[in-house]
Amino acid sequence: MRQWLRWLIRVILPTAIVVPSAAIAASAIARVVLSDSIAPVSADRLVRPALSRVELDQKLQVLISLRLRNYDELEARIAAHQIVPRSELAQRYLPLPADFERVRRWVAAQGLELPLTDAFLTHVVVRGSVEQLSTVFGVSFGRVATPDGELSSALTAPSLPADVAGPVLAVAGLQPHLQGHVNPGRAVAAANLGSLDGAPTPADIQAAYHVPVSFTGAGQTIAILGAAAPSSGDLTAFWQAGGIPQSLGNFTVVNVNGGPSVISPDNTLEATLDVEWAGAMAPAAKIRLYAMTDLYYSSFNLALVQILNELAAHPGLNVVSISFASPENQAGSASTLLAYSQTYALLAASGVSVFVGSGDGGSNPDQSGNGEYSQSAPLMTGYPASDSNVTSVGGTALGFGSDWNEKSESSWFSSTDVTGRDQVGTGGGVSSVFLRPSFQTGVGVPAGAFRCVPDVAAQAEKSFYYFQGHPGTVWGTSLATPIWAGIVADMDQQRAAQSLPALGLFATWCYPLIGSPGFSDILSGIDGYYTAGPFYDLCTGAGSPRAAELLALIDAPPKLDVPPTIVVQPSGAVSIANNTTAVLTCVATAPAALLYQWYFNGLAIGGATSSNLTIRGASTVNVGLYTCVCSNGIGNSVTSNPASLQVVTTSDPGRLVNESVLAPVAAGQNLTVGFYAGHGTAGSMPVLIRGIGPALSDFQVPNPMPDPSIDVVITNQNGDFENNGWGANQAAIEQADRQTGAFELTDPSSHDCALVLPVPINQGTTATLTSESNAAGLALAEIYDDSTPGSYVDGVTLRLINLSAKLQLAQNQSLTAGFVIGGTTAKTVLVRAVGPSLQQFSITAFLPDPVLTLNATAGPLFGVLAANQGWGGSAPLSDAALEAGAFGFIGPQSGDSVILATLPPGNYTAQVNSATGTPGTVLVEVYEIP
């Protein structure tokens, strides 16, 4: 069930990807609300909900982003270092020209400007006044406070006509208050210019990172994103002082959308630093600075679209450097971030390496936007470094001897910045938005479902630069990022000389080389919460570069002595009985210790990193192909031959066997799940009930509930059943975990709770999960059929006939209830999202407009199966509810939502969110139809 939990984590975390309401589009709906195209605006940031005439007339640029086709396949090819030709991108992955043209024509018909055409057909770039955008997209704007002043930003979600919305993923850029930042401490540092004692030059860094003199970047172009242009005098003075054979003839400023709107000293300093150091590390490379209007994330994406458009005209443009960051929770909604991620993916597929600084706020970046570390802030990665299609760059502190030879290197973390203000340090941690990419496996990579940051690191301690006509010192991952950009441009130069393609997404090359001579392994230092150590760590990633050795390992990796194969009996396939255990073994030999990662149908299995893979309680959902990737840690990874797992079943009727609900529970509130056992003659059935909090940390889930407690009440039984620590019944719980296929609890002293209870026939059972200390946090409530495998007899053995979950949703929050259909045959289920009809149970704070989406989480049906908003008094739905014994709604136009579906055995989710983001209590129910 670990893969099942990974799916639940993906769809239920407040900042995780949520299926947009565009999925409910139907011919009867005039407009479709893209509910996840905006992020909630907190009350303390909203200055006022109304705009002045001047504010309404201000121009704003947004992107209508279309979904790429076969996106998972494209990312798999990127992870395999493949560069996809433009013609093949158009054939298999880019949005269809007809879809793009339909959206573009609609925009033009609304009187909006179309300032730029995306040659990759992924974004329709739109420009108009705030008043126009408000009318066209049906959006309410307000004034929102930011560290840089007030901005006009969207408060409600946009909508599109149903005949336009189908291919649209998001409308991005309606919230300009979500933007990247430079660290303002650097500008002050430039004003306090002092001696260069102790400040390394580019030559010192090149020597420390084993960059040969032949590595010049000749024939290559580095694109840099900025919001200002540096002084030509500063560039020339820096390169001359450092003895760097770089020149202004290699430097070009490309204005994006008219160029910078406001000249900021901070932005000018950032652009100066990036151009100086990228040009120094690749002294023969060309530098193209894409000067953006502002630091809105939509402007970042617009600059990247322009780079994509210009790739054909600049065949050596293979590296992009981005030195801006914000805390990930301030970057945008999940759908807008996915829209931006598609652009990064297209760059990677085109062979472009994008390097992004992990930020200077350490493990806990301050939420005020000052870019510094605050111990009281939540653990958080920086964005866009957390995007899975970029290479994130952390910071180190190089120590030099009196001879200017490198003596030491540690994770960069400073007790005070150069102005004597708060702490600063390399960004690092685990994303709460982006899932773990398949390539991010290796020694030291922590178990979990989400993207780890950073991938690599480089010097971020004070180093030499030139600004405003004077030399000075500077620090931060804004220094480390152009260092890496320049070094990879050098590597692409060397590969081009051998007729090899550019490196593309550089992170994909790093993880098999963890611990190899290609990296300096950073063994000491912190980023606030995390500590650097052997192999991969959340402070410095795989480490800092040894450029010559790294390129040699990439171009000519050592080979495994014998390619690994999975040993199975009988040969060719594994065939086991339903609900039994399978063990797959990967056997390989090599001169070095091997690392393992197992995959199921091409997807990495979390925590499956040993030579054996054990599959307990196997059923039809486990049928498929299993492979294992072996790495020797010195540059070579090999994928085993696939093993096909088959599960032999007799006629086994389909039935509900599991409910799992992962949800954020507010302080003082609870998560309630319920179920009925019926359709049999037995007196009772065994059920495993679990309430998980602390164990979620094993999956890198942020803010788990620290002390969950379960209270179980069975109708017509005196008393209730309680548990606040599963260790009191350790043996019984461990047996039930194995028998049901639940992920195993390993710490008997933890506050996770579990009970195994006999549940009588036709008696409602309710399990309420609360925090003993009334703490807020994410909690997982689970119900499992704990019947002995193979013992089910239809019509005799009890089974779960109804599952439900109730939660009070906050604004723009969603509830996802997972359920599993076991057996071997299809089952018809009635799925309901009840909001307004809760009034008849004296619940007044109900969700007024629930939108219900049914998803398959694996197998051939993977994705959205059906959706509904308002059941409309449908007679078949009413008849099915009556047959299932469900309570009636308050009327045909109640606004409650219902789906009736016949589903094969497998894993499913019923997801509910408000069409307008309104808070309220909602009940999700799944009934089997006999």
Side-chain angles (χ1 to χ4, degrees):
M1 298 303 291
R2 295 178 68 90
Q3 286 293 91
W4 178 227
L5 179 58
R6 283 166 63 93
W7 213 102
L8 280 173
I9 291 170
R10 178 175 184 174
V11 299
I12 198 57
L13 286 178
T15 52
I17 295 174
V18 176
V19 178
S21 57
I24 68 170
S27 58
I29 301 176
R31 291 180 74 90
V32 174
V33 177
L34 303 179
S35 58
D36 195 45
S37 282
I38 66 163
V41 177
S42 60
D44 62 324
R45 297 193 68 179
L46 179 61
V47 178
R48 50 186 162 84
L51 302 183
S52 68
R53 170 47 55 188
V54 171
E55 292 160 351
L56 287 169
D57 290 339
Q58 289 176 339
K59 294 280 189 169
L60 189 63
Q61 194 153 269
V62 301
L63 308 173
I64 304 177
S65 300
L66 281 64
R67 292 183 187 85
L68 293 181
R69 296 175 292 140
N70 304 313
Y71 190 51
D72 289 345
E73 177 186 302
L74 179 63
E75 288 201 309
R77 295 185 66 178
I78 293 169
H81 319 306
Q82 295 184 27
I83 295 177
V84 184
R86 173 67 182 278
S87 59
E88 191 173 352
L89 283 173
Q91 181 182 8
R92 287 197 56 78
Y93 306 112
L94 298 182
L96 296 173
D99 289 338
F100 179 85
E101 185 60 22
R102 183 165 67 254
V103 176
R104 193 199 67 79
R105 284 199 305 266
W106 175 79
V107 168
Q110 310 312 304
L112 297 172
E113 302 172 35
L114 293 161
L116 175 69
T117 298
D118 180 358
F120 285 68
L121 307 182
T122 307
H123 306 284
V124 177
V125 183
V126 178
R127 181 175 171 82
S129 70
V130 169
E131 185 174 39
Q132 284 179 298
L133 297 174
S134 177
T135 301
V136 170
F137 293 110
V139 173
S140 297
F141 282 84
R143 293 294 281 181
V144 178
T146 79
D148 303 314
E150 295 179 10
L151 292 171
S152 299
S153 207
L155 306 178
T156 61
S159 64
L160 294 172
D163 60 347
V164 173
V168 174
L169 171 62
V171 178
L174 290 168
Q175 295 185 299
H177 72 279
L178 304 171
Q179 56 183 291
H181 299 282
V182 298
N183 196 309
R186 295 195 194 94
V188 179
N192 294 337
L193 301 171
S195 73
L196 298 182
D197 291 345
T201 67
D204 300 319
I205 302 299
Q206 287 174 319
Y209 290 152
H210 299 197
V211 181
V213 293
S214 60
F215 281 34
T216 65
Q220 301 298 306
T221 298
I222 301 171
I224 293 173
L225 266 58
S231 156
S232 59
D234 284 339
L235 299 181
T236 300
F238 175 82
W239 291 328
Q240 288 179 348
I244 301 160
Q246 184 60 272
S247 70
L248 293 176
N250 284 334
F251 176 58
T252 303
V253 176
V254 183
N255 284 326
V256 180
N257 191 28
S261 58
V262 177
I263 302 302
S264 158
D266 291 346
N267 293 344
T268 305
L269 186 149
E270 184 65 72
T272 302
L273 166 64
D274 292 352
V275 173
E276 286 179 350
W277 274 88
M281 301 307 291
K286 294 181 179 180
I287 309 292
R288 291 175 67 82
L289 174 69
Y290 286 78
M292 305 176 293
T293 303
D294 44 55
L295 296 182
Y296 305 162
Y297 280 121
S298 56
S299 297
F300 278 71
N301 213 249
L302 184 61
L304 297 173
V305 167
Q306 187 160 333
I307 291 172
L308 278 167
N309 285 353
E310 296 178 0
L311 287 181
H314 300 279
L317 202 170
N318 296 317
V319 177
V320 176
S321 180
I322 303 174
S323 293
F324 302 93
S326 69
E328 190 180 55
N329 65 342
Q330 298 181 14
S333 69
S335 288
T336 58
L337 296 189
L338 180 58
Y340 299 152
S341 188
Q342 290 186 155
T343 308
Y344 289 118
L346 290 175
L347 285 162
S350 302
V352 178
S353 304
V354 180
F355 290 90
V356 181
S358 65
D360 300 341
S363 56
N364 305 67
D366 189 280
Q367 297 289 295
S368 68
N370 67 12
E372 296 168 345
Y373 170 82
S374 173
Q375 188 174 7
S376 62
L379 288 172
M380 185 73 57
T381 56
Y383 175 84
S386 60
D387 192 291
S388 299
N389 291 306
V390 307
T391 301
S392 55
V393 182
T396 67
L398 276 167
F400 293 89
S402 58
D403 56 359
W404 283 106
N405 288 320
E406 177 206 351
K407 298 298 183 184
S408 64
E409 192 168 16
S410 60
S411 177
W412 171 62
F413 191 80
S414 177
S415 58
T416 58
D417 70 11
V418 291
T419 69
R421 301 191 312 172
D422 294 333
Q423 293 173 302
V424 290
T426 177
V430 180
S431 171
S432 60
V433 175
F434 293 96
L435 289 177
R436 184 79 53 89
S438 61
F439 60 80
Q440 196 169 46
T441 61
V443 182
V445 178
F450 289 88
R451 165 84 155 113
C452 295
V453 174
D455 298 305
V456 294
Q459 165 79 338
E461 190 58 274
K462 64 176 185 178
S463 294
F464 163 59
Y465 84 124
Y466 234 94
F467 185 57
Q468 295 178 340
H470 301 282
T473 57
V474 73
W475 47 263
T477 56
S478 290
L479 172 65
T481 303
I483 287 175
W484 262 105
I487 289 176
V488 171
D490 295 340
M491 292 183 178
D492 283 338
Q493 167 212 359
Q494 300 298 315
R495 287 173 63 86
Q498 302 176 59
S499 299
L500 294 172
L503 289 163
L505 179 54
F506 189 79
T508 62
W509 299 96
C510 298
Y511 290 86
L513 297 174
I514 292 172
S516 76
F519 288 103
S520 291
D521 193 4
I522 312 304
L523 303 177
S524 63
I526 61 173
D527 67 359
Y529 179 80
Y530 303 105
T531 302
F535 307 111
Y536 181 88
D537 58 66
L538 293 170
C539 300
T540 61
S544 61
R546 291 179 178 142
E549 295 90 332
L550 185 55
L551 180 61
L553 287 170
I554 289 173
D555 286 346
K559 300 298 182 182
L560 291 174
D561 290 350
V562 180
T565 58
I566 297 179
V567 177
V568 298
Q569 295 294 332
S571 179
V574 180
S575 182
I576 62 172
N578 194 42
N579 284 323
T580 58
T581 297
V583 178
L584 304 180
T585 301
C586 184
V587 177
T589 59
L594 287 175
L595 315 173
Y596 301 88
Q597 175 62 56
W598 286 87
Y599 292 79
F600 173 53
N601 290 337
L603 297 176
I605 302 173
T609 55
S610 67
S611 59
N612 291 332
L613 174 65
T614 301
I615 304 167
R616 295 186 175 89
S619 67
T620 53
V621 299
N622 302 112
V623 171
L625 295 179
Y626 291 81
T627 54
C628 185
V629 174
C630 300
S631 171
N632 61 4
I634 53 172
N636 185 231
S637 294
V638 180
T639 302
S640 70
N641 300 323
S644 173
L645 178 65
Q646 304 295 328
V647 177
V648 178
T649 61
T650 56
S651 180
D652 190 9
R655 58 195 183 277
L656 297 170
V657 297
N658 164 249
E659 175 185 28
S660 299
V661 183
L662 178 68
V665 181
Q669 296 185 357
N670 60 62
L671 170 63
T672 302
V673 294
F675 58 94
Y676 270 82
H679 295 170
T681 59
S684 63
M685 68 174 291
V687 176
L688 170 64
I689 306 171
R690 307 203 310 177
I692 307 299
L696 294 177
S697 298
D698 296 339
F699 299 89
Q700 304 299 320
V701 172
N703 191 33
M705 182 180 286
D707 51 357
S709 175
I710 278 186
D711 183 27
V712 180
V713 177
I714 302 175
T715 305
N716 295 327
Q717 283 197 4
N718 293 326
D720 53 6
F721 303 88
E722 297 180 353
N723 184 261
N724 59 7
W726 71 280
N729 301 301
Q730 181 177 352
I733 300 304
E734 289 177 342
Q735 168 63 23
D737 288 347
R738 290 189 293 269
Q739 183 159 283
T740 60
F743 70 88
E744 294 184 19
L745 301 176
T746 58
D747 182 4
S749 65
S750 77
H751 230 305
D752 301 296
C753 45
L755 290 166
V756 177
L757 296 175
V759 176
I761 187 171
N762 295 331
Q763 299 296 317
T765 303
T766 301
T768 303
L769 190 153
T770 59
S771 164
E772 289 201 306
S773 62
N774 288 328
L778 278 159
L780 174 68
E782 300 177 298
I783 308 296
Y784 292 91
D785 181 342
D786 192 31
S787 302
T788 302
S791 66
Y792 181 78
V793 179
D794 195 28
V796 176
T797 310
L798 292 182
R799 62 178 186 259
L800 298 172
I801 61 174
N802 164 237
L803 303 169
S804 64
K806 180 170 70 71
L807 184 70
Q808 184 173 340
L809 300 182
Q811 186 177 18
N812 289 308
Q813 200 175 70
S814 63
L815 171 63
T816 299
F819 63 95
V820 177
I821 295 178
T824 60
T825 61
K827 189 66 188 175
T828 300
V829 295
L830 182 74
V831 186
R832 310 201 308 175
V834 187
S837 287
L838 293 177
Q839 297 175 73
Q840 58 193 316
F841 303 103
S842 300
I843 296 177
T844 56
F846 55 85
L847 194 71
D849 52 357
V851 177
L852 175 64
T853 307
L854 178 65
N855 306 274
T857 66
L861 298 180
F862 179 82
V864 177
L865 302 180
N868 177 252
Q869 182 181 1
W871 73 294
S874 164
L877 297 179
S878 181
D879 292 344
L882 185 64
E883 185 177 6
F887 65 85
F889 291 152
I890 58 176
Q893 304 303 322
S894 66
D896 305 291
S897 298
V898 185
I899 294 171
L900 182 66
T902 300
L903 305 173
N907 297 347
Y908 302 91
T909 63
Q911 182 177 347
V912 181
N913 60 288
S914 165
T916 58
T918 306
T921 298
V922 67
L923 174 69
V924 181
E925 301 177 299
V926 181
Y927 293 90
E928 74 154 34
I929 304 300

